[in-house]
Amino acid sequence: MDNINVPYRMQTNGKLLNELPIEYLNRIDRILISIDGNKEKTDSNRGEGTYNLVMKNVSLIREKGYIGEIIARMTIDLKSPDIYEQVLHLISIGFSSIHWQIDAGFYAYDYDKKKFSIFLKGYNASITKLVDFWVKDMQNKRVLKLYPFIGIVDSLLKNEKSLLRCGAGHSGYAIRTDGKIVACPIMTWIEDFFSGDLNSNPEDLKVFPIAERCINCEVNHICGGRCLYWSHLRLWPEEGDQLICKTIKHLIYELKNKVPEIKELIQKGIISSKNFEYEKYFGPEIIP
Ligand code: SF4
């Protein structure tokens, strides 16, 4: 960091954050910290004591004078469709920026139709409650940075079409330690996704189009295709992937239904359309 003057963002489990001197911390504008909700949930996913340690370090860096954005980065596992309760907990302990991703479709061995269908029902119901809460909360003249919500609503307000929302393979790339450039940081070993190397002109990096399965989808201009890794590897059977898409469509339609109310709040000056703008491609995938 002493020698490379670039904008810094960080994704971390938060366990060693206390070790970083404040002059380095404050060069990192945004820090994504893994925390999955309340103590019980976080510790059951990440080990006993994780929640307290992460929260202690979050308080500590704020006390030291960290002024950047701290984003809670949640993993939603199939045992916990209660996104509403978990997000509300994170808000109650001080987070106002939150992102989540559903742990689904990333491994070949873990598809279970019955389990995922039960999750889907609970998760979608919980998303409906969370969207209601989020829009009601705007009466307090604030827009909580729930990244999946602000990303989608920002596009709906601007009538903007989106490519893959994490930026993988069109606007965001990863550099391997050998200098090769790949479309996504979790696909570093997949040669089909090599996009260039450190000698490449950034404008010549290989660009990857939307996945075939998404071409005729009615929400593809808002969804963008969820995840390059997921759509390329197709680790779950098609019926499982379609169930994942049901969570995405539900989320998009619930937010779409709220757009007239949100526009009214903007017109009345209670909130601003600027409240939905965010830095793209630094970490949150937007589509969970
Ligand atoms: S909802 Fe599914 S099929 Fe539609 S664009 Fe998103 S990932 Fe593709």
Side-chain angles (χ1 to χ4, degrees):
M1 282 179 96
D2 287 331
N3 299 319
I4 305 177
N5 191 18
V6 293
Y8 286 95
R9 314 285 178 261
M10 182 163 80
Q11 299 209 33
T12 172
N13 62 18
K15 292 185 175 180
L16 295 173
L17 264 183
N18 55 319
E19 305 273 335
L20 264 180
I22 188 64
E23 58 271 28
Y24 291 110
L25 275 172
N26 268 335
R27 289 187 54 200
I28 306 168
D29 293 335
R30 296 190 167 78
I31 302 179
L32 288 132
I33 296 185
S34 303
I35 183 166
D36 303 322
N38 61 23
K39 183 175 185 311
E40 193 191 347
K41 183 73 260 163
T42 302
D43 284 358
S44 107
N45 284 357
R46 299 176 191 276
E48 200 58 40
T50 301
Y51 177 92
N52 285 343
L53 179 58
V54 167
M55 288 314 298
K56 192 173 122 209
N57 284 345
V58 167
S59 305
L60 205 95
I61 65 168
R62 284 297 190 208
E63 279 162 26
K64 273 187 185 174
Y66 178 65
I67 53 170
E69 184 181 1
I70 298 178
I71 302 144
R73 198 187 201 296
M74 309 167 71
T75 296
I76 305 297
D77 67 280
L78 302 196
K79 285 177 272 150
S80 300
D82 57 342
I83 181 79
Y84 170 77
E85 285 77 8
Q86 298 299 345
V87 166
L88 255 61
H89 172 79
L90 292 174
I91 293 168
S92 76
I93 58 170
F95 287 100
S96 56
S97 295
I98 300 171
H99 177 58
W100 61 90
Q101 191 167 42
I102 304 172
D103 183 13
F106 300 123
Y107 302 97
Y109 67 84
D110 67 351
Y111 177 60
D112 179 324
K113 185 178 179 184
K114 196 169 162 209
K115 268 193 199 153
F116 193 74
S117 300
I118 294 169
F119 167 84
L120 171 72
K121 210 169 153 212
Y123 173 79
N124 279 357
S126 205
I127 282 288
T128 299
K129 270 167 79 177
L130 188 56
V131 170
D132 279 346
F133 162 81
W134 183 62
V135 176
K136 273 197 193 103
D137 184 70
M138 290 175 198
Q139 295 287 357
N140 299 323
K141 300 190 169 185
R142 66 172 182 175
V143 176
L144 288 162
K145 268 197 164 172
L146 307 186
Y147 273 90
F149 292 2
I150 59 166
I152 291 171
V153 170
D154 186 47
S155 294
L156 291 169
L157 290 173
K158 291 176 175 159
N159 215 3
E160 171 189 84
K161 292 187 174 161
S162 182
L163 298 172
L164 203 57
R165 287 185 168 271
C166 59
H170 63 87
S171 302
Y173 293 85
I175 304 172
R176 293 198 334 181
T177 47
D178 65 358
K180 286 211 162 43
I181 296 179
V182 281
C184 162
I186 59 164
M187 299 171 86
T188 51
W189 79 100
I190 308 177
E191 289 188 11
D192 288 352
F193 287 86
F194 287 179
S195 313
D197 58 37
L198 286 177
N199 295 316
S200 306
N201 180 338
E203 286 176 8
D204 296 335
L205 290 177
K206 198 169 161 191
V207 171
F208 297 88
I210 193 162
E212 218 178 296
R213 72 143 62 89
C214 304
I215 290 171
N216 295 318
C217 174
E218 75 270 22
V219 296
N220 64 11
H221 57 293
I222 293 292
C223 168
R226 188 182 184 229
C227 166
L228 194 63
Y229 175 85
W230 166 71
S231 60
H232 172 70
L233 269 76
R234 307 191 79 154
L235 297 169
W236 274 17
E238 183 55 28
E239 65 164 23
D241 286 343
Q242 281 181 18
L243 293 175
I244 294 172
C245 290
K246 279 192 178 180
T247 66
I248 300 168
K249 289 175 186 171
H250 178 79
L251 169 67
I252 291 173
Y253 287 127
E254 288 299 79
L255 290 166
K256 226 175 183 172
N257 287 339
K258 294 289 183 187
V259 166
E261 203 176 327
I262 291 172
K263 280 186 172 165
E264 207 181 311
L265 291 167
I266 293 170
Q267 267 159 18
K268 287 182 179 163
I270 296 170
I271 54 167
S272 157
S273 58
K274 294 248 175 289
N275 296 137
F276 300 88
E277 291 177 355
Y278 63 101
E279 182 185 46
K280 287 181 176 165
Y281 316 135
F282 74 92
E285 295 86 354
I286 303 297
I287 298 297

